[in-house]
Amino acid sequence: MNGLNDGVAIVTGGGSGIGRATAARFATEGTSVVVADVDVEGGEETVSRIEADGGEATFVECDVTDGDEVAAAVETAVDSYGGLDFAFNNAGIEGESAPSSEQSLSNWNRVIEINLSGVFHGLREEIPAMLEDGGGAIVNTASIAGILGFPNLTPYVASKHGVVGLTKTAAIEFGAEDLRVNAVCPGVIETPMVERSQEENPESMEQTIAATPMDRLGQPEEIAGAVAWLCSDDASFVTGESLVVDGGFSVQ
Ligand code: NAD
């Protein structure tokens, strides 16, 4: 894809699901990838798969709730590969399900810390590294829960709406410096996160598929494709956008 060859990317939450597929897609395009995740086994497995396919990747253990660890992951990209061109701020958790009136404060804090503050830490560290080198492209993972309400997912919905706001704001701030910031809003994608919620509520997947015009769940590679496009030169005038990739779920 235009402009991704020879680049350097960081992918948070790269040890599983959407992050793993996107790290692999970057590598296929000729971009070197820093895979950052709290899950060491998952992150190392992503790197092994990329290397087995002839790509270039490094794993960094990183909890996105800790700004210093995110800074160290960005530093690894700069030190190992000479700069930073692309970032996919994607680490996230679903949290516990309960109506707003029954949500625990600990669940609220945990979800906001990972899904929203984690993206904030990413932006804070990635933007200066990219500006050093004349700009770049950042994609943050929001969700259709960043544009719609969903019952029983209060902190998740709030965190993802927050990601959309962070994205718009950074896009305004750095557009003139050739740094584009977009979000991707996946619908329901077949990953370990969704498998967990399916175990809890087996009927929910059938209901989701029935409510999706394309009549199926999405695949992680379909989000990776959208992220690759947003980072490519083909999206050179796209910034501040929240690109919905949901098989039509949110349009009805
Ligand atoms: P997943 O559970 O398969 O992967 C999430 C990854 O994030 C894991 O590797 C996990 O270890 C990592 N992670 C969790 N907490 C972390 C932390 N504190 N620091 C660093 N890494 C951490 O889930 P997924 O479905 O691939 O989700 C990826 C992103 O996509 C999340 O932000 C999620 O909210 C979002 N999303 C997913 C769906 C979906 O249907 N799967 C839909 C919309 C949005």
Side-chain angles (χ1 to χ4, degrees), residues 62-73 117 121-122 124-125:
C62 168
D63 183 338
V64 295
T65 66
D66 184 328
D68 292 341
E69 292 191 15
V70 176
S117 304
H121 290 309
R124 237 164 47 121
E125 302 303 331

Side-chain angles (χ1 to χ4, degrees), residues 94-162:
E94 64 276 35
E96 290 155 19
S97 292
S100 299
S101 54
E102 293 167 27
Q103 279 284 344
S104 70
L105 193 57
S106 60
N107 184 50
W108 168 269
N109 286 337
R110 185 84 188 126
V111 173
I112 295 291
E113 240 193 316
I114 296 175
N115 295 7
L116 182 56
S117 304
V119 173
F120 169 67
H121 290 309
L123 291 172
R124 237 164 47 121
E125 302 303 331
E126 293 149 3
I127 288 169
M130 288 183 182
L131 292 180
E132 283 276 303
D133 222 10
I138 298 175
V139 179
N140 300 320
T141 302
S143 165
I144 48 172
I147 52 167
L148 301 172
F150 285 90
N152 301 319
L153 287 174
T154 316
Y156 188 80
V157 169
S159 70
K160 296 301 189 181
H161 275 69

Side-chain angles (χ1 to χ4, degrees), residues 12-20 36-40 42-43 62-66 69 88-94 110 113-115 141-145 156 159-160 184-194 196 220 223:
T12 71
S16 176
I18 291 168
R20 170 175 286 168
D37 205 298
V38 270
D39 176 3
V40 175
C62 168
D63 183 338
V64 295
T65 66
D66 184 328
E69 292 191 15
F88 184 38
N89 295 312
N90 162 76
I93 58 165
E94 64 276 35
R110 185 84 188 126
E113 240 193 316
I114 296 175
N115 295 7
T141 302
S143 165
I144 48 172
Y156 188 80
S159 70
K160 296 301 189 181
V184 66
C185 296
V188 182
I189 311 299
E190 246 178 314
T191 69
M193 177 184 281
V194 162
R196 286 191 293 273
I223 305 304

Side-chain angles (χ1 to χ4, degrees), residues 1 5 8 15 22 71-72 78 94 119 163-164 167 176 214 231-232 234:
M1 208 171 251
N5 201 19
V8 179
T22 306
V78 174
E94 64 276 35
V119 173
V163 168
V164 169
T167 301
M214 291 192 76
C231 288
S232 76
D234 292 342

